Amino acid sequence: MTMMSVQEFKSALKTEAASVEEFLSTCLHNRNIPQRLLDSMEYSLLAGGKRLRPVLCLFVAAMFGANKEHVMPFASAIECIHSYSLVHDDLPAMDDDDLRRGKPSNHKAFDEATAILAGDGLLTEAFVLMTETAEHISAASVLAAINTMAVAAGSGGMVGGQQLDMAFTGRDNVSLEELQTMHAMKTGALIRCSCECGAILGGASAEDLERIRTYGANIGAAFQIVDDILDETGTEEELGKPVGSDIEQGKNTYPSMLGIEKSRELAQQLVDNAVEQLAGGDGAEAQFLRKLAQYIVDRVS
Protein backbone atom coordinates (compact mmCIF):
# COMPACT_ATOMS: atom_id res chain seq x y z
CA MET A 1 0.00 0.00 0.00
CA THR A 2 1.25 3.50 -0.86
CA MET A 3 2.24 5.40 2.26
CA MET A 4 0.46 8.63 3.11
CA SER A 5 2.48 11.72 2.18
CA VAL A 6 2.84 14.76 4.42
CA GLN A 7 0.63 16.73 2.04
CA GLU A 8 -2.06 14.04 2.13
CA PHE A 9 -1.88 14.03 5.92
CA LYS A 10 -2.28 17.81 6.15
CA SER A 11 -5.21 17.68 3.75
CA ALA A 12 -6.90 14.94 5.78
CA LEU A 13 -6.30 16.84 9.02
CA LYS A 14 -7.75 20.02 7.55
CA THR A 15 -10.79 18.20 6.18
CA GLU A 16 -11.54 16.41 9.45
CA ALA A 17 -11.01 19.56 11.51
CA ALA A 18 -13.47 21.36 9.22
CA SER A 19 -16.05 18.61 9.84
CA VAL A 20 -15.62 19.06 13.58
CA GLU A 21 -15.88 22.83 13.17
CA GLU A 22 -19.15 22.48 11.28
CA PHE A 23 -20.66 20.29 13.99
CA LEU A 24 -19.46 22.59 16.78
CA SER A 25 -21.03 25.61 15.06
CA THR A 26 -24.56 24.39 15.86
CA CYS A 27 -24.20 21.79 18.63
CA LEU A 28 -25.13 24.24 21.41
CA HIS A 29 -28.18 25.62 19.66
CA ASN A 30 -31.74 24.74 20.74
CA ARG A 31 -30.52 24.21 24.31
CA ASN A 32 -32.40 27.13 25.92
CA ILE A 33 -29.09 28.78 26.88
CA PRO A 34 -29.29 32.51 27.76
CA GLN A 35 -27.91 34.48 24.82
CA ARG A 36 -24.97 36.14 26.60
CA LEU A 37 -23.90 32.82 28.04
CA LEU A 38 -24.20 31.13 24.64
CA ASP A 39 -22.18 33.94 23.06
CA SER A 40 -19.45 33.47 25.65
CA MET A 41 -19.42 29.68 25.25
CA GLU A 42 -19.22 29.89 21.45
CA TYR A 43 -16.65 32.70 21.61
CA SER A 44 -14.16 30.18 22.98
CA LEU A 45 -15.50 26.99 21.41
CA LEU A 46 -15.42 28.45 17.89
CA ALA A 47 -12.16 30.41 18.27
CA GLY A 48 -10.25 27.98 16.07
CA GLY A 49 -7.48 25.64 17.05
CA LYS A 50 -6.14 22.39 15.67
CA ARG A 51 -9.11 20.27 16.86
CA LEU A 52 -6.50 17.63 17.61
CA ARG A 53 -8.47 15.80 20.31
CA PRO A 54 -11.71 15.23 18.38
CA VAL A 55 -9.76 14.33 15.25
CA LEU A 56 -7.83 11.71 17.23
CA CYS A 57 -11.07 10.26 18.56
CA LEU A 58 -12.62 10.11 15.08
CA PHE A 59 -9.64 8.48 13.37
CA VAL A 60 -9.06 5.91 16.10
CA ALA A 61 -12.74 4.98 16.09
CA ALA A 62 -12.67 4.66 12.30
CA MET A 63 -9.55 2.50 12.50
CA PHE A 64 -11.64 -0.03 14.44
CA GLY A 65 -14.59 0.15 12.06
CA ALA A 66 -16.84 2.87 13.47
CA ASN A 67 -18.59 5.44 11.28
CA LYS A 68 -17.04 8.87 11.94
CA GLU A 69 -20.41 10.60 11.66
CA HIS A 70 -21.78 8.38 14.43
CA VAL A 71 -18.82 9.26 16.69
CA MET A 72 -18.91 13.01 15.91
CA PRO A 73 -21.05 14.07 18.92
CA PHE A 74 -18.65 12.36 21.31
CA ALA A 75 -15.56 13.70 19.54
CA SER A 76 -16.98 17.23 19.59
CA ALA A 77 -17.80 16.86 23.27
CA ILE A 78 -14.09 16.38 23.91
CA GLU A 79 -13.44 19.74 22.27
CA CYS A 80 -16.07 21.31 24.55
CA ILE A 81 -14.17 19.95 27.55
CA HIS A 82 -10.86 21.19 26.15
CA SER A 83 -12.33 24.65 25.50
CA TYR A 84 -13.78 24.88 29.00
CA SER A 85 -10.38 24.07 30.47
CA LEU A 86 -8.76 26.88 28.47
CA VAL A 87 -11.40 29.40 29.56
CA HIS A 88 -10.78 28.53 33.21
CA ASP A 89 -6.98 28.31 32.83
CA ASP A 90 -6.91 31.90 31.55
CA LEU A 91 -8.78 33.30 34.56
CA PRO A 92 -6.97 35.73 36.89
CA ALA A 93 -7.05 33.14 39.71
CA MET A 94 -5.30 30.59 37.47
CA ASP A 95 -2.78 31.53 34.75
CA ASP A 96 -4.12 35.09 34.33
CA ASP A 97 -3.66 35.24 30.54
CA ASP A 98 -5.16 38.07 28.50
CA LEU A 99 -4.86 36.38 25.08
CA ARG A 100 -5.99 33.06 23.70
CA ARG A 101 -5.62 32.09 20.03
CA GLY A 102 -4.86 35.67 19.10
CA LYS A 103 -8.00 37.09 20.72
CA PRO A 104 -8.80 38.49 24.16
CA SER A 105 -9.37 35.71 26.67
CA ASN A 106 -13.00 34.97 27.50
CA HIS A 107 -12.98 36.88 30.77
CA LYS A 108 -11.55 39.89 28.93
CA ALA A 109 -14.08 39.73 26.09
CA PHE A 110 -17.01 39.26 28.47
CA ASP A 111 -16.41 39.33 32.24
CA GLU A 112 -14.99 36.99 34.83
CA ALA A 113 -18.32 35.65 36.12
CA THR A 114 -19.59 34.95 32.61
CA ALA A 115 -16.33 33.22 31.69
CA ILE A 116 -16.63 30.93 34.72
CA LEU A 117 -20.21 30.07 33.78
CA ALA A 118 -19.23 29.57 30.13
CA GLY A 119 -16.63 27.02 31.23
CA ASP A 120 -19.18 25.32 33.46
CA GLY A 121 -21.66 25.26 30.59
CA LEU A 122 -19.20 23.80 28.08
CA LEU A 123 -18.20 21.03 30.48
CA THR A 124 -21.80 20.08 31.23
CA GLU A 125 -23.01 20.28 27.64
CA ALA A 126 -20.16 17.96 26.69
CA PHE A 127 -21.81 15.13 28.59
CA VAL A 128 -25.13 15.82 26.86
CA LEU A 129 -23.34 15.43 23.52
CA MET A 130 -21.63 12.22 24.61
CA THR A 131 -24.95 10.57 25.45
CA GLU A 132 -26.25 11.41 21.96
CA THR A 133 -23.67 9.01 20.54
CA ALA A 134 -25.85 6.15 21.84
CA GLU A 135 -28.24 6.77 18.94
CA HIS A 136 -25.90 4.77 16.70
CA ILE A 137 -23.39 3.06 19.00
CA SER A 138 -24.19 0.54 21.74
CA ALA A 139 -25.14 2.08 25.08
CA ALA A 140 -22.59 -0.14 26.83
CA SER A 141 -19.75 1.23 24.69
CA VAL A 142 -20.94 4.81 25.12
CA LEU A 143 -21.22 4.35 28.89
CA ALA A 144 -17.69 2.93 29.07
CA ALA A 145 -16.35 5.85 27.00
CA ILE A 146 -18.17 8.44 29.13
CA ASN A 147 -16.76 6.88 32.29
CA THR A 148 -13.25 6.94 30.80
CA MET A 149 -13.64 10.58 29.75
CA ALA A 150 -15.02 11.67 33.13
CA VAL A 151 -12.04 10.14 34.94
CA ALA A 152 -9.53 11.73 32.54
CA ALA A 153 -11.13 15.18 32.74
CA GLY A 154 -11.74 15.10 36.48
CA SER A 155 -9.88 15.53 39.72
CA GLY A 156 -7.59 12.56 39.10
CA GLY A 157 -6.81 13.82 35.60
CA MET A 158 -6.97 17.25 33.98
CA VAL A 159 -8.40 19.15 36.96
CA GLY A 160 -5.94 17.56 39.36
CA GLY A 161 -3.12 18.35 36.96
CA GLN A 162 -4.07 22.03 37.00
CA GLN A 163 -4.00 21.96 40.81
CA LEU A 164 -0.50 20.46 40.75
CA ASP A 165 0.58 23.05 38.17
CA MET A 166 -0.43 25.85 40.54
CA ALA A 167 1.23 24.11 43.48
CA PHE A 168 4.49 23.65 41.53
CA THR A 169 4.63 27.21 40.17
CA GLY A 170 7.48 29.11 41.78
CA ARG A 171 8.98 26.00 43.36
CA ASP A 172 12.61 25.32 42.49
CA ASN A 173 12.76 21.75 43.83
CA VAL A 174 10.24 20.09 41.52
CA SER A 175 11.63 16.83 40.14
CA LEU A 176 11.38 15.67 36.55
CA GLU A 177 9.16 12.83 37.73
CA GLU A 178 6.78 15.29 39.41
CA LEU A 179 6.72 17.41 36.25
CA GLN A 180 5.92 14.36 34.11
CA THR A 181 3.14 13.28 36.49
CA MET A 182 1.60 16.76 36.48
CA HIS A 183 1.61 17.05 32.70
CA ALA A 184 0.34 13.49 32.23
CA MET A 185 -2.69 14.65 34.19
CA LYS A 186 -3.13 18.25 33.01
CA THR A 187 -2.45 17.85 29.29
CA GLY A 188 -1.83 14.19 28.59
CA ALA A 189 -4.99 12.73 30.12
CA LEU A 190 -7.38 14.38 27.66
CA ILE A 191 -5.23 13.53 24.63
CA ARG A 192 -4.76 9.94 25.78
CA CYS A 193 -8.47 9.65 26.52
CA SER A 194 -9.45 11.01 23.11
CA CYS A 195 -7.67 8.02 21.60
CA GLU A 196 -8.94 5.61 24.21
CA CYS A 197 -12.58 6.66 23.80
CA GLY A 198 -12.31 6.35 20.03
CA ALA A 199 -11.08 2.79 20.48
CA ILE A 200 -13.90 1.96 22.91
CA LEU A 201 -16.56 3.40 20.59
CA GLY A 202 -15.01 1.50 17.68
CA GLY A 203 -15.22 -1.81 19.53
CA ALA A 204 -11.48 -2.42 19.95
CA SER A 205 -10.28 -5.54 21.75
CA ALA A 206 -8.68 -5.24 25.19
CA GLU A 207 -5.24 -5.73 23.63
CA ASP A 208 -5.81 -3.08 20.98
CA LEU A 209 -7.26 -0.71 23.58
CA GLU A 210 -4.08 -0.98 25.63
CA ARG A 211 -1.92 -0.22 22.58
CA ILE A 212 -4.03 2.82 21.76
CA ARG A 213 -3.89 3.97 25.37
CA THR A 214 -0.08 3.81 25.19
CA TYR A 215 -0.07 5.64 21.86
CA GLY A 216 -2.22 8.42 23.33
CA ALA A 217 -0.17 8.73 26.51
CA ASN A 218 3.04 9.11 24.53
CA ILE A 219 1.77 11.72 22.10
CA GLY A 220 0.13 13.57 24.99
CA ALA A 221 3.47 13.81 26.78
CA ALA A 222 5.22 14.86 23.57
CA PHE A 223 2.58 17.53 22.94
CA GLN A 224 3.27 19.17 26.30
CA ILE A 225 7.03 19.10 25.83
CA VAL A 226 6.67 20.85 22.47
CA ASP A 227 4.28 23.39 24.06
CA ASP A 228 6.96 24.17 26.64
CA ILE A 229 9.59 24.54 23.91
CA LEU A 230 7.36 26.81 21.82
CA ASP A 231 6.73 29.08 24.80
CA GLU A 232 10.45 29.87 24.67
CA THR A 233 11.13 29.70 20.93
CA GLY A 234 7.84 30.64 19.25
CA THR A 235 6.33 34.03 18.49
CA GLU A 236 3.10 35.57 19.74
CA GLU A 237 1.86 35.68 16.14
CA GLU A 238 2.44 31.94 15.68
CA LEU A 239 1.05 30.87 19.04
CA GLY A 240 -1.81 33.35 19.38
CA LYS A 241 -0.82 34.07 22.98
CA PRO A 242 2.05 35.76 24.81
CA VAL A 243 5.36 33.87 24.72
CA GLY A 244 7.70 33.56 27.66
CA SER A 245 4.79 33.48 30.12
CA ASP A 246 5.99 30.20 31.66
CA ILE A 247 9.28 31.79 32.71
CA GLU A 248 7.57 34.97 33.94
CA GLN A 249 5.17 32.97 36.10
CA GLY A 250 7.91 30.77 37.51
CA LYS A 251 6.55 27.58 35.99
CA ASN A 252 8.62 24.43 35.83
CA THR A 253 9.00 23.26 32.23
CA TYR A 254 10.91 20.64 30.29
CA PRO A 255 13.33 23.20 28.79
CA SER A 256 13.99 24.70 32.22
CA MET A 257 14.95 21.24 33.51
CA LEU A 258 16.49 19.56 30.46
CA GLY A 259 17.30 22.36 28.03
CA ILE A 260 15.77 22.83 24.57
CA GLU A 261 17.69 20.14 22.70
CA LYS A 262 17.24 17.36 25.25
CA SER A 263 13.58 18.28 25.47
CA ARG A 264 13.27 17.88 21.69
CA GLU A 265 15.01 14.52 21.89
CA LEU A 266 12.62 13.33 24.60
CA ALA A 267 9.60 14.46 22.59
CA GLN A 268 10.85 12.56 19.52
CA GLN A 269 11.51 9.47 21.61
CA LEU A 270 7.94 9.57 22.91
CA VAL A 271 6.56 9.93 19.40
CA ASP A 272 8.66 7.00 18.20
CA ASN A 273 7.26 4.94 21.07
CA ALA A 274 3.75 5.97 20.09
CA VAL A 275 4.24 4.99 16.46
CA GLU A 276 5.47 1.55 17.54
CA GLN A 277 2.02 0.89 18.97
CA LEU A 278 0.57 1.10 15.45
CA ALA A 279 2.93 -1.50 14.00
CA GLY A 280 1.18 -3.72 11.49
CA GLY A 281 -1.58 -1.24 10.75
CA ASP A 282 -1.47 -0.29 7.07
CA GLY A 283 -4.92 1.26 6.68
CA ALA A 284 -5.46 4.94 5.97
CA GLU A 285 -6.40 5.65 9.60
CA ALA A 286 -3.24 4.03 11.01
CA GLN A 287 -1.11 5.92 8.51
CA PHE A 288 -2.81 9.17 9.48
CA LEU A 289 -2.20 8.51 13.19
CA ARG A 290 1.49 7.88 12.52
CA LYS A 291 1.80 11.15 10.64
CA LEU A 292 -0.13 12.97 13.32
CA ALA A 293 2.28 11.76 15.98
CA GLN A 294 5.22 13.23 14.08
CA TYR A 295 3.24 16.42 13.37
CA ILE A 296 3.01 16.99 17.14
CA VAL A 297 6.81 17.26 17.32
CA ASP A 298 7.24 19.23 14.09
CA ARG A 299 4.50 21.83 14.67
CA VAL A 300 5.31 25.52 15.20
CA SER A 301 2.10 26.52 16.98
Side-chain angles (χ1 to χ4, degrees), residues 65-81:
N67 185 317
K68 287 180 184 176
E69 289 186 14
H70 295 169
V71 180
M72 183 62 80
F74 200 105
S76 297
I78 301 172
E79 191 67 12
C80 289
I81 293 174

Side-chain angles (χ1 to χ4, degrees), residues 26-34 38 125-126 128-130 132:
T26 60
C27 70
L28 299 180
H29 297 180
N30 304 316
R31 299 282 206 212
N32 198 32
I33 303 172
L38 176 62
E125 291 296 333
V128 176
L129 288 169
M130 288 183 216
E132 293 177 357

Side-chain angles (χ1 to χ4, degrees), residues 132-147:
E132 293 177 357
T133 312
E135 183 178 348
H136 298 288
I137 294 175
S138 77
S141 294
V142 174
L143 181 62
I146 290 175
N147 178 271

Side-chain angles (χ1 to χ4, degrees), residues 200-219:
I200 292 169
L201 296 172
S205 66
E207 182 181 354
D208 284 338
L209 181 58
E210 183 58 36
R211 289 192 300 106
I212 289 300
R213 186 182 291 120
T214 302
Y215 168 88
N218 276 276
I219 65 170

Side-chain angles (χ1 to χ4, degrees), residues 40-222:
S40 179
M41 292 165 71
E42 290 195 326
Y43 176 82
S44 293
L45 183 62
L46 305 179
K50 292 173 280 293
R51 308 306 188 193
L52 174 68
R53 293 154 189 82
V55 167
L56 276 166
C57 182
L58 291 168
F59 269 90
V60 171
M63 186 168 67
F64 292 107
N67 185 317
K68 287 180 184 176
E69 289 186 14
H70 295 169
V71 180
M72 183 62 80
F74 200 105
S76 297
I78 301 172
E79 191 67 12
C80 289
I81 293 174
H82 177 53
S83 293
Y84 120 75
S85 73
L86 300 181
V87 172
H88 281 190
D89 279 359
D90 288 340
L91 290 168
M94 298 278 198
D95 290 345
D96 194 17
D97 282 325
D98 293 344
L99 280 179
R100 172 67 66 178
R101 291 171 177 163
K103 297 165 56 179
S105 300
N106 198 295
H107 66 278
K108 289 293 184 181
F110 292 85
D111 57 76
E112 194 171 340
T114 300
I116 292 170
L117 292 172
D120 294 343
L122 286 167
L123 174 60
T124 310
E125 291 296 333
F127 287 91
V128 176
L129 288 169
M130 288 183 216
T131 62
E132 293 177 357
T133 312
E135 183 178 348
H136 298 288
I137 294 175
S138 77
S141 294
V142 174
L143 181 62
I146 290 175
N147 178 271
T148 300
M149 180 55 63
V151 171
S155 52
M158 184 176 67
V159 173
Q162 176 67 9
Q163 175 64 45
L164 289 177
D165 188 19
M166 292 189 298
F168 291 168
T169 298
R171 270 183 51 187
D172 58 7
N173 62 341
V174 175
S175 68
L176 180 60
E177 184 179 3
E178 286 177 315
L179 183 71
Q180 290 172 322
T181 297
M182 182 265 285
H183 283 312
M185 294 168 68
K186 181 183 177 183
T187 304
L190 202 59
I191 292 176
R192 185 203 74 237
C193 191
S194 298
C195 301
E196 197 172 347
C197 287
I200 292 169
L201 296 172
S205 66
E207 182 181 354
D208 284 338
L209 181 58
E210 183 58 36
R211 289 192 300 106
I212 289 300
R213 186 182 291 120
T214 302
Y215 168 88
N218 276 276
I219 65 170

Side-chain angles (χ1 to χ4, degrees), residues 280-299:
D282 293 325
E285 292 83 11
Q287 290 191 47
F288 176 88
L289 292 169
R290 288 192 192 95
K291 292 289 186 184
L292 190 147
Q294 188 58 46
Y295 163 79
I296 283 174
V297 171
D298 295 339
R299 67 195 171 95

